Amino acid sequence: MKSCFPLLLCLLPVMMPPLLLAEEAVSNQPALEALWHTKDLRVPESVLWHQQQHNGKTDTVLFVSEIDGQGSAVDGVGGVALLNSDGTIRNKDWLRGLNAPKGLAVYQGKLYIADLTEVVIVDIASAKILNKIKAPDSVFLNDVTVDDKGVVYISDTRKNRIYKLEQNQISIWLDNVEAANGLKVVGEQLYIAAGDKLLKLDLTDNSKNIRQVARGFAERADGLEPVGNGDFIVSCWAGLVYYVSADGRIKELLDTRTLKLNTADIGWDQATNTLYIPTFLGNSVQAYKLSY
């Protein structure tokens, strides 16, 4: 017995670390905490966090695309509202006269809007429309993203297609991407939320080979935002939000399907880990803090 007791003491330090690591793994699971809820919007489809310089000061604003009608109607009643980062409404009628605006992206002082069959380009400083460029053979332009050279990529969910806008010309860039919706350029990679999958392709690869990042969303994916280290948050319009790890693991963060609060094209503030969710038929934007 005397010879066994020291041996057990020697084994204890070897046995303990796995238990501690297991506790750390549980405590580091991503989760969302509700911050604020802005109501009385008009069928909000997309939220875009944007920081700019205004009168020598840093100004943070949320662009919110509002369909204000049917999602595929050419009715001229849609537009973009402005919210402050605390959820208060800055300008409910910042831009009107669009049809069914959805995805948003910013590049060099211009706001790019996917509006059914055309991309609308707006000067942010003046809130004036600079151009409307029609996408050939398009039906339902849905999301938009811009790379660091100013090349714009636009999804058409009903055509299973991605367009490219370059030098004021839109052309078909990639076909046969089933249910292509959310788009985001990260470095040289284009990420695509499509159906139950998160996909990516290398923009420097002329072969346009698509690779799967993750699969298994319970509903069709809508918006996506990178949150660092190769991880993403992905929303599904039906009311689900997922955390997607770089290795393809997915974790459900939010399920509002029973409440009929559709979670459309999300926005993200990397500095504060704040997620902005437009609820579409809920006519609101909700903000959440992401914690680990």
Side-chain angles (χ1 to χ4, degrees):
M1 294 293 292
K2 290 183 179 179
S3 61
C4 293
F5 187 67
L7 178 60
L8 289 173
L9 286 177
C10 293
L11 289 175
L12 282 175
V14 177
M15 296 168 62
M16 290 301 290
L19 297 176
L20 293 175
L21 288 175
E23 290 173 1
E24 289 177 5
V26 171
S27 64
N28 288 341
Q29 290 297 311
L32 294 178
E33 174 191 354
L35 296 177
W36 50 255
H37 183 190
T38 299
K39 300 180 181 180
D40 300 323
L41 296 169
R42 296 161 288 193
V43 194
E45 202 282 334
S46 181
V47 177
L48 178 65
W49 177 91
H50 177 60
Q51 199 166 74
Q52 59 194 0
Q53 294 298 313
H54 182 68
N55 294 331
K57 297 181 179 180
T58 300
D59 180 37
T60 302
V61 66
L62 300 174
F63 294 105
V64 181
S65 64
E66 295 180 304
I67 294 174
D68 196 13
Q70 298 300 313
S72 57
V74 182
D75 52 20
V77 301
V80 177
L82 294 188
L83 303 185
N84 296 306
S85 58
D86 63 359
T88 56
I89 296 176
R90 181 184 300 191
N91 189 339
K92 197 169 185 176
D93 298 308
W94 183 74
L95 182 72
R96 307 312 296 174
L98 303 181
N99 294 310
K102 297 178 180 70
L104 306 168
V106 167
Y107 182 77
Q108 293 187 347
K110 297 180 180 64
L111 179 67
Y112 292 82
I113 308 168
D115 192 16
L116 275 186
T117 60
E118 58 190 10
V119 175
V120 180
I121 305 173
V122 181
D123 175 64
I124 293 174
S126 63
K128 300 296 183 183
I129 293 176
L130 301 175
N131 204 352
K132 294 183 178 182
I133 306 175
K134 186 170 178 59
D137 189 38
S138 61
V139 174
F140 198 81
L141 299 184
N142 208 332
D143 201 13
V144 58
T145 188
V146 188
D147 68 17
D148 59 7
K149 298 176 184 176
V151 179
V152 183
Y153 298 88
I154 314 103
S155 63
D156 188 322
T157 305
R158 294 184 183 171
K159 284 287 187 175
N160 300 320
R161 175 181 293 165
I162 297 174
Y163 290 87
K164 180 166 74 171
L165 168 57
E166 194 170 17
Q167 296 179 344
N168 289 325
Q169 297 290 326
I170 295 182
S171 59
I172 298 170
W173 184 72
L174 186 64
D175 264 320
N176 301 315
V177 184
E178 186 176 357
N181 192 336
L183 301 177
K184 187 67 64 173
V185 172
V186 181
E188 298 291 348
Q189 305 293 316
L190 174 64
Y191 288 82
I192 309 165
D196 68 341
K197 297 180 286 294
L198 177 61
L199 309 170
K200 73 173 180 179
L201 56 84
D202 190 334
L203 293 174
T204 64
D205 181 3
N206 292 328
S207 64
K208 300 176 185 175
N209 289 323
I210 297 177
R211 290 175 288 167
Q212 181 176 292
V213 177
R215 184 174 186 174
F217 308 127
E219 305 281 356
R220 285 166 58 129
D222 194 320
L224 72 161
E225 285 291 341
V227 297
N229 300 319
D231 296 353
F232 277 81
I233 293 179
V234 175
S235 64
C236 299
W237 185 87
L240 289 165
V241 177
Y242 289 94
Y243 192 96
V244 181
S245 299
D247 61 6
R249 290 175 296 133
I250 66 174
K251 178 186 184 326
E252 183 184 296
L253 295 177
L254 190 68
D255 185 353
T256 64
R257 286 177 292 182
T258 59
L259 301 174
K260 307 296 184 183
L261 293 178
N262 307 90
T263 48
D265 188 8
I266 52 179
W268 174 251
D269 176 5
Q270 183 71 47
T272 62
N273 278 8
T274 304
L275 180 69
Y276 305 99
I277 301 177
T279 65
F280 202 84
L281 296 177
N283 292 318
S284 67
V285 169
Q286 297 186 346
Y288 292 85
K289 176 82 170 183
L290 176 69
S291 59
Y292 297 91

